[in-house]
Amino acid sequence: MAVTGIISALIIGLVIGVLGRLVVPGRQSIPIWLTIVIGIVAALIGTAIAAAVGVADTRGIDWIELVIQVVLAGLGVALAAGLYGRRGVR
């Protein structure tokens, strides 16, 4: 993978992760690096799901794929915030 590909993946992961944080109500006390990782994983899994369903390649912006990615990121952020928050309580 080229440097531009890695930078692009980080930027997309950050955007998807932040969108995932926005759809989860309340305050999430997870670090930004975890948000980026969740966003990258959600983007990859969301793209795979969209491809399996047949909505990954449409004309214009792939809104359905983006919604799948953001929903997955939201679930990931909620799960991580729950697990990360419990660790600090002990």
Side-chain angles (χ1 to χ4, degrees), residues 8-20 32 35-37 39-40:
S8 298
L10 290 174
I11 292 171
I12 291 169
L14 177 65
V15 170
I16 296 294
V18 168
L19 289 173
I32 192 69
T35 301
I36 294 171
V37 170
I40 291 170

Side-chain angles (χ1 to χ4, degrees), residues 20-28 74 77-78 81:
R21 283 182 86 144
L22 289 175
V23 298
V24 175
R27 183 179 171 114
Q28 298 84 32
V77 165

Side-chain angles (χ1 to χ4, degrees), residues 46-85:
T47 299
I49 291 172
V53 176
V55 295
D57 236 357
T58 60
R59 291 184 180 189
I61 299 173
D62 298 327
W63 290 108
I64 297 172
E65 181 180 1
L66 182 62
V67 168
I68 293 170
Q69 291 171 339
V70 171
V71 167
L72 288 174
L75 292 172
V77 165
L79 180 66
L83 293 175
Y84 198 80

